[in-house]
Every structure is written in structure tokens, then in C-alpha cells.
Amino acid sequence: MATFILTGRQTLDAVRGLMSKPEDRTAAVATIVEAAGGKLLHYYITTGDSDFMLVAEADAAEDFLAGVMVAGASGSVTNLKTVRAWSSGEFAKVAEKAGAIAGSYRAPGS
């Protein structure tokens, strides 16, 4: 399974909703991730440029991104940023493959 990290901001309406009815949103986030075919690994409320961060696994980017689209369309979140994450071991395999194909690339102007 591929690992994805999603960060974003809560809208003013979402913050107002949480203030009027405080709740732990982990279950709601897990539900949408699972409905899109993924598995929620971690969900955090953060400070700084993002209000939240989640880490999830999915078989395909399309599955995870479908859930992201639903969350964005709800109007409760904005500035969504999704990145794919690799473990160090997984990335070593990527580097190995890059080394194997490096000789087939010609840099511009060379």
C-alpha cells in the first residue's frame, strides 16, 4: 500500500462548528478514508501553516484522492496538500532503479 500525507486548513465555519460542539474528529476522518478504500494511520491537529495532518495508506492514489475531493467539496476544509511518502527502505529501491537507468539519460545541451 502507498502512504499519503495530507495537510490542510479548517474553514471559519468548521472552527465555529467545533467551538459550538467540540468533538474528536478522528472517527469522521477515518470513515471517509476507509470509504475511499484507504486506512487512516494517524490524524493530528497541528499549528503553523496547517490546522491538521493525516497519514493514510491506500492501494492507489486515485482511491485516496477521491476521499480528499469529498472532504474539500464539503466546504469545511481548504488548502489541502497531498504528498506521497516512502519509507527509507522503499526509497532505496527507487534509488537503485534510478542508478540502473541513469546511463540512458542525456542532459540538455550535452
Side-chain angles (χ1 to χ4, degrees), residues 75-101:
S76 63
V77 294
T78 187
N79 294 0
L80 298 174
K81 295 181 179 113
T82 305
V83 297
R84 166 81 195 273
W86 289 264
S87 70
S88 184
E90 291 168 332
F91 197 75
K93 292 177 184 175
V94 173
E96 182 180 337
K97 185 171 185 174
I101 63 173

Side-chain angles (χ1 to χ4, degrees), residues 32 64-74 80:
I32 195 166
F64 183 72
L65 292 175
V68 172
M69 288 179 70
V70 171
S74 76
L80 298 174

Side-chain angles (χ1 to χ4, degrees), residues 6-87:
L6 174 71
T7 59
R9 308 267 332 197
Q10 295 182 4
T11 63
L12 181 57
D13 286 342
V15 172
R16 286 181 178 149
L18 285 170
M19 289 173 61
S20 68
K21 186 179 176 190
E23 64 175 306
D24 180 346
R25 296 289 298 160
T26 305
V29 172
T31 298
I32 195 166
V33 171
E34 291 166 8
K39 177 182 176 187
L40 180 67
L41 301 178
H42 303 284
Y43 176 66
Y44 300 103
I45 303 302
T46 58
T47 58
D49 292 336
S50 299
D51 295 331
F52 63 87
M53 179 188 82
L54 67 89
V55 181
E57 290 180 332
D59 286 329
E62 294 86 353
D63 296 340
F64 183 72
L65 292 175
V68 172
M69 288 179 70
V70 171
S74 76
S76 63
V77 294
T78 187
N79 294 0
L80 298 174
K81 295 181 179 113
T82 305
V83 297
R84 166 81 195 273
W86 289 264
S87 70

